[in-house]
Amino acid sequence: MKKRTLSLLAATIIVGFLFSACSLVDLFLGDRNEKLVGDAVPSGPVLITGGFEYTNDFVVETYYVAHAVGLLDMTGFVLRDKEWELPVESQVLGYMDLDAENDSATYRLSLPAVPAGEFNDVDNDNKEEKGLQIFTVAYNPNLTGGVFSEGDDRSLGWPGYLASVKTDSENKDEVKGGKLVIWAADNGQEFPSDFGADGLLFTKDDAVVPVPAGYSVVDLDRSPFVFITDQVVDITLYEPDDIAVKDFSDLSYTEAFDALFEVVRKEYAFNGFEEKQPDWDAVYANLQPKIARAEDEQDAYGYYLALREFSMVFNDGHVGVSGGNFDYQYNEDNLLGGYGFAVRELDDGRVIVVFILQGGPADQAGMQEGAEIEKFNDDLVGDALEKVQPFQPQSTDFGRRFEQTVFLTRGGIGESASVTFKNPGVGTTTAQMVSIYEVESLLSVYMGGPYDEFVLPAEYELLPSGVGYIKINSNYDDLGLLIRVFERALATFEEVGVPGIIIDMRLNFGGAPLGLAGFLYEQDIPLGQLEYYSDKTGQFEPDGPRDKVYPNENIYSFGKMVLLVDQFCFSACEIESYGFSQVPGMVVMGQFPTAGVEAETARGEFLLPEGIEFGIPTGRFTLLDGSIFLEGEGVQPTIRIPVDEHSVLSGEDVVLQQAIEYIFS
């Protein structure tokens, strides 16, 4: 196990050094344009400056907090090897200034006198020569470990996101434009002058031209290519078109809906799977008149409601609509009214009251915690549940049923309901209740109970039993911090010799999978193959190699390991949980599987009129037999904890208790 220690004195010295170094760099760069003259300065570029703008802010503003750009070796692209690992010695980092308020950034990157990238012979003359070093400039944030991409924080393939090159997602991420930085050790090297007849770079049909020694910036958007040798070169980094938010907000209601629908019916991730693909023609025939009516009547809320109805035709928890004030109006009309009680459905089908609001309608009617609901509005409670509209689309039957249970007792303010219930040890009572504004009962059960949004992405503690406990709260917030805390927990628990560890993935709404199981297993863990729809072929095509969890540099070992999951572990949380579940000796416990909501959504964000946003998944993960990976199923518990009266009424975390008991069994 590798241990990293740093004294306070050493930390102070390092911080002081960095401050001084940055001050000197700023002093030098501040008037560098005036000083880039004379025999002491080499010919060709010495400084790259530039910036970028973005529309999809989840990566830059949420996932990372340590921002930088990098001069990154493009040998992976020359070889067309998506698993080529970027060598640390070739990486050069540059300062980046993020302006999150305006979704933009600027940067500066000083070029080393002699770069340390790999040489590539790209002149197609069939002679073995040294060749050139070829780089792109790209957003290169720090994730874990040191500031460079190395070890557990490896970079594979070639950059395509916020990079100085433009890549074609429709054609295996081939470079189709932008700018490259090249370096030649002498004047005898050549580089392609254009893409050639096949439209591809670094293939046999490329005509070549000589390039000067030292650095050049190649403008791939000009034909023939233009080689820039100015000492300061400005290079823009590009957000890929497919990841950028599709902005239809300036269109009319009908135009925007038609544009949205045209993309969705082609690119929805689970087209071709009978249980997932909507009947597109029927959906359009039903919704288009409602959209047109909203436009004719300039009914913005009606437009929102039609789009919300569109979202509900999907059996997919990744589909959603957001409308700002419209959301609040919808909630006020449908959700903010409550009767002052909440219920849970048990494994045996009984529906039990688990929360009573003091002084609320149910309390005034004499209802008690533990009461069994028999009828709701004259329907047997099971039939009443079937009629409840979930708040949002669901990927699984158990997810839908849970939401129906939660929202059985919700409605508009001032609505009336007849409830037949039986308190423990007494007879049946029927009461007429009128809903009031209250959210306490909703929050007592929705998303598993109260949720603290201010917690760290990962936390750990040594339980009184001596078991090591790690709670991964989010795969969405400061990923580098999450990884560091997680490894620190493992190192601490291994050092003190805990009898076992519990990894709690419950109530984790997703974000980015990090392959944390690589800290616990020395072999690769195969995952799904990401696929996207291709306009070129008219079908879903693989995007890169099959995903997998890589072993980490430091591997930790424990006698017993338990993974806790629930129906609120969504998306990336499920991939993370699946990785953990494949570690030999890991036992999965929970009352439910993970949510079964697994897809990729970055390319499916739409901005519509009236500030309404719509989102769908466009990337799916498949297994070798072509079946869907995790979506609709989730990670299944190997030991399922029953949902019974004790578990819903005791106020105890019975799943965690069972995990502790298992470790000592």
Side-chain angles (χ1 to χ4, degrees):
M1 178 181 68
K2 179 173 66 177
K3 296 184 179 179
R4 301 170 182 165
T5 60
L6 183 67
S7 70
L8 180 60
L9 176 61
T12 304
I13 293 172
I14 290 173
V15 170
F17 170 78
L18 290 176
F19 179 82
S20 300
C22 289
S23 298
L24 289 172
V25 169
D26 288 339
L27 179 65
F28 175 65
L29 290 176
D31 60 351
R32 186 163 188 171
N33 287 340
E34 289 78 14
K35 295 183 178 181
L36 291 179
V37 293
D39 295 336
V41 178
S43 61
V46 296
L47 176 67
I48 304 295
T49 62
F52 59 85
E53 296 180 347
Y54 55 92
T55 61
N56 219 329
D57 60 9
F58 69 100
V59 172
V60 179
E61 295 184 20
T62 304
Y63 286 172
Y64 300 104
V65 298
H67 303 290
V69 296
L71 185 70
L72 305 179
D73 197 324
M74 286 290 281
T75 296
F77 173 67
V78 176
L79 301 175
R80 301 314 199 268
D81 182 358
K82 283 291 187 77
E83 298 189 85
W84 184 80
E85 188 166 339
L86 187 68
V88 65
E89 59 270 15
S90 72
Q91 300 172 41
V92 179
L93 299 184
Y95 174 76
M96 191 189 106
D97 184 13
L98 178 67
D99 181 1
E101 185 174 341
N102 294 299
D103 292 343
S104 63
T106 57
Y107 74 88
R108 62 176 183 265
L109 189 153
S110 296
L111 299 175
V114 179
E118 296 198 11
F119 284 91
N120 292 275
D121 184 7
V122 294
D123 62 8
N124 298 320
D125 63 1
N126 295 318
K127 296 179 182 178
E128 190 170 330
E129 298 168 305
K130 189 169 188 177
L132 304 158
Q133 295 184 37
I134 304 169
F135 304 93
T136 186
V137 181
Y139 176 55
N140 195 53
N142 177 41
L143 183 61
T144 182
V147 297
F148 295 96
S149 297
E150 60 174 328
D152 298 338
D153 191 16
R154 59 178 63 84
S155 292
L156 305 178
W158 58 91
Y161 175 74
L162 293 177
S164 65
V165 290
K166 305 169 188 175
T167 55
D168 186 358
S169 63
E170 287 286 319
N171 188 23
K172 301 179 181 178
D173 293 323
E174 289 286 334
V175 171
K176 62 179 182 179
K179 291 183 173 67
L180 288 169
V181 179
I182 62 174
W183 186 84
D186 54 54
N187 288 313
Q189 305 305 316
E190 295 177 307
F191 189 88
S193 61
D194 214 326
F195 285 104
D198 63 5
L200 304 178
L201 190 60
F202 306 136
T203 54
K204 293 186 181 299
D205 68 344
D206 296 346
V208 297
V209 294
V211 295
Y215 287 104
S216 301
V217 173
V218 186
D219 187 345
L220 305 175
D221 292 325
R222 307 278 292 275
S223 182
F225 298 154
V226 172
F227 295 81
I228 303 169
T229 56
D230 297 339
Q231 290 180 333
V232 179
V233 183
D234 191 84
I235 297 180
T236 297
L237 310 186
Y238 299 98
E239 179 183 49
D241 292 340
D242 56 332
I243 293 179
V245 173
K246 284 71 174 172
D247 190 349
F248 302 145
S249 60
D250 290 336
L251 303 178
S252 69
Y253 290 0
T254 53
E255 290 171 339
F257 177 71
D258 285 348
L260 166 69
F261 194 85
E262 181 181 357
V263 175
V264 170
R265 76 177 298 161
K266 285 193 309 180
E267 299 187 14
Y268 173 56
F270 300 109
N271 279 341
F273 292 91
E274 184 177 352
E275 69 278 13
K276 303 292 291 185
Q277 177 180 320
D279 182 339
W280 297 117
D281 292 339
V283 169
Y284 186 81
N286 174 51
L287 289 175
Q288 197 281 333
K290 298 178 182 180
I291 298 289
R293 186 183 313 117
E295 181 174 298
D296 291 341
E297 299 174 359
Q298 284 300 290
D299 180 5
Y301 185 54
Y303 181 58
Y304 165 82
L305 290 178
L307 290 168
R308 200 173 197 289
E309 184 178 346
F310 183 32
S311 73
M312 297 303 295
V313 306
F314 295 86
N315 297 318
D316 191 329
H318 266 128
V319 179
V321 61
S322 174
N325 290 334
F326 299 133
D327 289 339
Y328 183 83
Q329 184 175 348
Y330 178 85
N331 293 342
E332 187 173 40
D333 293 343
N334 298 277
L335 303 176
L336 295 183
Y339 300 101
F341 74 102
V343 299
R344 287 287 307 276
E345 185 178 28
L346 308 184
D347 289 341
D348 61 13
R350 288 184 296 150
V351 176
I352 301 296
V353 176
V354 297
F355 175 86
I356 295 288
L357 175 66
Q358 186 174 0
D363 186 35
Q364 294 178 9
M367 184 182 289
Q368 301 172 6
E369 286 189 20
E372 180 180 349
I373 303 298
E374 295 183 344
K375 289 186 177 181
F376 196 90
N377 283 336
D378 298 324
D379 287 322
L380 293 174
V381 68
D383 296 332
L385 287 174
E386 285 295 328
K387 294 180 179 180
V388 176
Q389 171 84 346
F391 176 62
Q392 57 193 11
Q394 296 293 315
S395 294
T396 62
D397 291 340
F398 63 81
R400 177 181 177 83
R401 186 67 170 191
F402 186 89
E403 283 230 335
Q404 288 174 320
T405 305
V406 169
F407 291 102
L408 173 70
T409 60
R410 311 305 303 176
I413 300 168
E415 292 184 4
S416 179
S418 172
V419 184
T420 300
F421 60 92
K422 183 168 64 176
N423 283 330
V426 298
T428 297
T429 300
T430 298
Q432 198 73 22
M433 303 181 193
V434 177
S435 64
I436 61 173
Y437 172 78
E438 61 93 2
V439 296
E440 291 88 347
S441 64
L442 174 63
L443 296 178
S444 71
V445 288
Y446 194 49
M447 294 302 180
Y451 177 72
D452 185 356
E453 62 180 306
F454 299 109
V455 296
L456 293 170
E459 300 173 298
Y460 68 95
E461 63 176 309
L462 195 64
L463 298 177
S465 62
V467 171
Y469 175 76
I470 311 170
K471 179 76 172 75
I472 301 179
N473 294 306
S474 172
N475 277 60
Y476 193 72
D477 173 22
D478 194 347
L479 302 183
L481 177 60
L482 191 166
I483 295 171
R484 289 191 291 273
V485 171
F486 183 77
E487 183 176 11
R488 180 171 177 172
L490 296 180
T492 300
F493 295 153
E494 187 176 77
E495 184 174 356
V496 301
V498 297
I501 62 168
I502 297 171
I503 302 172
D504 194 344
M505 298 296 293
R506 295 175 297 174
L507 209 63
N508 178 326
F509 305 138
L514 299 171
L516 298 176
F519 284 113
L520 298 168
Y521 192 34
E522 68 278 1
Q523 296 184 24
D524 292 347
I525 300 174
L527 302 172
Q529 171 65 62
L530 181 59
E531 298 178 346
Y532 290 103
Y533 176 82
S534 167
D535 276 322
K536 185 175 182 179
T537 66
Q539 58 188 11
F540 280 78
E541 301 288 353
D543 185 74
R546 181 169 296 276
D547 287 348
K548 61 183 176 181
V549 175
Y550 293 87
N552 285 56
E553 290 189 325
N554 299 328
I555 306 292
Y556 302 87
S557 179
F558 303 93
K560 287 192 174 181
M561 298 176 291
V562 180
L563 174 71
L564 305 186
V565 299
D566 68 1
Q567 71 274 39
F568 305 114
C569 173
F570 292 97
S571 196
C573 173
E574 303 190 69
I575 295 180
E576 202 77 77
S577 296
Y578 179 84
F580 284 133
S581 75
Q582 300 304 296
V583 174
M586 183 70 71
V587 170
V588 184
M589 283 190 182
Q591 294 183 313
F592 296 91
T594 62
V597 180
E598 182 44 59
E600 206 284 319
T601 62
R603 304 184 186 190
E605 301 296 323
F606 301 85
L607 185 59
L608 303 172
E610 308 294 352
I612 298 172
E613 299 176 11
F614 198 93
I616 64 160
T618 59
R620 66 195 189 197
F621 295 90
T622 59
L623 298 173
L624 292 173
D625 63 1
S627 62
I628 302 174
F629 177 61
L630 292 177
E631 170 69 23
E633 293 187 5
V635 178
Q636 301 290 323
T638 49
I639 298 177
R640 185 182 179 279
I641 310 303
V643 182
D644 54 21
E645 285 189 70
H646 174 69
S647 69
V648 301
L649 293 174
S650 65
E652 301 172 353
D653 189 341
V654 298
V655 177
L656 178 58
Q657 290 176 343
Q658 290 288 319
I660 295 171
E661 291 177 13
Y662 169 80
I663 287 176
F664 288 104
S665 63

